[in-house]
Amino acid sequence: MQYSTRILSCNKQGDCCLVELEECRFYPDGSGGQLGDRGKIGDANVLEVLKSDEAVVLKVDRELELNREYVVEIDENRRFDIAQQHTAQHILSRAFEDLFDLHTVGFHMGEEVSTIDLDTSVIDWNIIEKAENLSNSIIWQDLPVEIILEDYENIKKYNVRKISEKIKDYEKIRLVKIGDFDTNPCGGFHVDRTGKIGMVKVVGFEKVKGKYMRLGYIAGERVLKYIRDFEERERKLFELTKASKNDLIAKIQKLSGESAQAKKKTAFLVEELKDKVVEELINNPIAFENFNLYFYSGITELIEVLASVFQKREGSIFIGFDTLKNSVVITSTVETSGAGDIAREILKVFDGKGGGSKKRANVILTRLTVEDVEKIKNNVVDLLKSEKIDN
Ligand SMILES: [Zn+2]
């Protein structure tokens, strides 16, 4: 939709501007639970549509000239998506009401997923699927969606789902009538036939406010996007597991069982090995005047055990390397050479990130080969000898 209008006010706010138009046809954000319009004013992009009691103000990404006339363009594709989500909501709410006497007490439209809150604290997929089926059959019947303006006294003749007290004062009430299936007062965007929604799908639910069930749903093109995301995830799973459609679940179950077993085995081996490794390290330190230095290369599970042993040992610096994970763990009980200081020194020479306290530090390098380990060991020994560590 395109039209021309003048700028009544333009106030800078950070990198953006708040603009008032002489004629504003933008639907405000969040009004009636619905998403707001987006579009352009000249070259400026509309980022938000804010509504106060006095006026609708548009947040745009550049300054606009006061009193000048601009061409305004409202994004029609977005409007169509909003209409699809909103009409789908009316249908879904009616389906839950007709089938299970569950009333909609809240509605929020999101950029990706929209939600309705139902007045129940329990729900399951069995119930949801029945409401989904009814909703989609209404969509595929391609019923007309009419906008009717009525006096308050007359709206009782329609099968109206929900009448709020505040609409009593309106001169005319805007009703959205979906065939003979549902009629509800609403000021939002709607498609003119239910077929245009394409499909509605509930994608999840959670308990909110301790007493309601919040259902996430999508409609229209969003369903297609959702299926594509699903397919992409599934393709990745097939690649990773080398499974086919028929045995994907079985294969993942097997892998997760194997991984749990491997963890148990590792824990068992660490337990068996640790005393021997500790003894060997303690008997063969790199001795300095006031402390001992210990290096160990191996798996993280054992390094963690050693780190906790040496953290309790006075006058010792321990450095463990796991080349599979490119990780270095450092502990120190030496006042003059903290673990964090040593980590910083390593990161001066090797690419990576990390740090820590005086007692313990962790570093993850972008690469850690056996040769790199030797280099780090030599560097650390030289540094500790020269006592050139920056504290
Ligand atoms: Zn509505």
Side-chain angles (χ1 to χ4, degrees):
M1 184 205 289
Q2 261 192 8
Y3 69 100
S4 296
T5 193
R6 281 186 321 122
I7 306 294
L8 292 185
S9 70
C10 181
N11 298 305
K12 252 186 125 44
Q13 194 195 56
D15 291 339
C16 304
C17 278
L18 296 177
V19 169
E20 256 182 293
L21 301 179
E22 190 173 43
E23 184 195 352
C24 184
R25 298 189 197 166
F26 283 82
Y27 190 90
D29 292 335
S31 182
Q34 188 182 289
L35 286 173
D37 274 321
R38 294 293 178 268
K40 294 195 114 180
I41 303 168
D43 287 334
N45 295 300
V46 176
L47 307 173
E48 275 180 65
V49 184
L50 312 156
K51 192 188 176 188
S52 67
D53 287 340
E54 301 92 52
V56 174
V57 175
L58 307 177
K59 191 173 181 179
V60 296
D61 62 356
R62 67 195 69 182
E63 219 170 327
L64 295 168
E65 259 178 72
L66 213 61
N67 289 321
R68 207 187 114 178
E69 191 154 299
Y70 282 91
V71 174
V72 176
E73 199 175 334
I74 295 180
D75 184 344
E76 290 286 346
N77 289 334
R78 180 182 168 90
R79 266 200 178 179
F80 182 57
D81 170 66
I82 291 170
Q84 286 177 314
Q85 310 311 315
H86 203 150
T87 311
Q89 180 261 311
H90 282 217
I91 295 172
L92 209 53
S93 289
R94 168 62 78 169
F96 278 109
E97 191 145 328
D98 278 4
L99 294 175
F100 305 106
D101 203 25
L102 296 177
H103 308 288
T104 296
V105 292
F107 163 51
H108 173 80
M109 195 183 293
E111 295 286 346
E112 282 172 22
V113 173
S114 306
T115 59
I116 55 169
D117 294 349
L118 297 175
D119 64 345
T120 176
S121 56
V122 282
I123 203 155
D124 59 48
W125 282 106
N126 196 11
I127 288 177
I128 290 169
E129 273 175 24
K130 285 191 175 113
E132 267 179 0
N133 288 346
L134 175 58
S135 301
N136 283 301
S137 84
I138 294 297
I139 289 172
W140 298 329
Q141 282 171 45
D142 197 24
L143 301 177
V145 180
E146 297 163 80
I147 306 295
I148 300 167
L149 296 173
E150 267 293 5
D151 294 329
Y152 185 75
E153 301 81 60
N154 289 337
I155 64 174
K156 285 186 193 85
K157 70 181 179 197
Y158 300 92
N159 179 16
V160 174
R161 186 157 36 86
K162 194 174 149 192
I163 304 174
S164 80
E165 279 298 307
K166 62 182 178 192
I167 66 171
K168 254 185 178 170
D169 307 329
Y170 295 178
E171 201 177 315
K172 286 277 181 192
I173 290 152
R174 186 180 189 263
L175 296 172
V176 177
K177 183 173 179 292
I178 303 171
D180 292 324
F181 182 65
D182 182 62
T183 305
N184 207 50
C186 178
F189 299 158
H190 290 275
V191 292
D192 58 2
R193 297 198 73 91
T194 59
K196 288 190 181 170
I197 297 167
M199 185 182 271
V200 63
K201 177 84 190 77
V202 174
V203 293
F205 60 83
E206 60 172 341
K207 198 172 180 175
V208 293
K209 296 170 189 167
K211 55 180 175 174
Y212 299 136
M213 273 295 167
R214 177 164 294 170
L215 270 57
Y217 76 92
I218 50 176
E221 200 182 343
R222 296 185 185 195
V223 180
L224 186 60
K225 280 192 194 130
Y226 184 77
I227 293 171
R228 284 183 180 146
D229 283 352
F230 237 93
E231 280 184 332
E232 202 186 315
R233 256 199 318 273
E234 206 183 45
R235 266 199 296 276
K236 275 187 192 145
L237 281 175
F238 288 148
E239 264 173 45
L240 286 170
T241 57
K242 309 263 184 293
S244 67
K245 229 175 184 109
N246 296 327
D247 64 353
L248 180 64
I249 303 286
K251 213 144 195 182
I252 288 173
Q253 275 168 341
K254 192 170 162 246
L255 284 170
S256 109
E258 281 170 3
S259 137
Q261 263 194 345
K263 260 190 195 154
K264 269 190 199 161
K265 271 186 203 164
T266 309
F268 177 77
L269 290 173
V270 165
E271 197 53 39
E272 290 278 288
L273 265 174
K274 71 171 194 206
D275 293 340
K276 232 180 113 198
V277 175
V278 169
E279 196 188 315
E280 210 172 296
L281 284 175
I282 287 172
N283 290 335
N284 299 290
I286 301 169
F288 287 77
E289 208 174 310
N290 301 316
F291 61 91
N292 286 325
L293 173 64
Y294 307 93
F295 290 126
Y296 179 76
S297 286
I299 55 169
T300 295
E301 288 85 345
L302 186 48
I303 289 169
E304 287 302 332
V305 174
L306 299 175
S308 64
V309 169
F310 284 102
Q311 243 178 313
K312 291 182 199 116
R313 220 178 142 82
E314 282 301 307
S316 56
I317 295 173
F318 167 77
I319 305 182
F321 304 92
D322 185 342
T323 51
L324 289 175
K325 293 186 172 170
N326 298 337
S327 82
V328 185
V329 173
I330 308 150
T331 69
S332 172
T333 54
V334 179
E335 189 55 37
T336 49
S337 312
D341 303 325
I342 296 171
R344 246 193 321 279
E345 294 294 335
I346 293 172
L347 287 169
K348 277 184 192 168
V349 185
F350 293 86
D351 196 29
K353 54 188 174 186
S357 66
K358 250 181 138 51
K359 285 184 173 155
R360 189 199 153 107
N362 281 54
V363 172
I364 299 288
L365 299 171
T366 49
R367 191 196 74 177
L368 184 63
T369 63
V370 177
E371 291 79 38
D372 294 331
V373 170
E374 289 311 309
K375 271 189 211 161
I376 293 174
K377 283 182 182 174
N378 290 333
N379 284 0
V380 171
V381 170
D382 288 347
L383 267 166
L384 292 172
K385 269 187 192 155
S386 64
E387 290 178 351
K388 269 188 192 155
I389 287 187
D390 294 336
N391 280 306

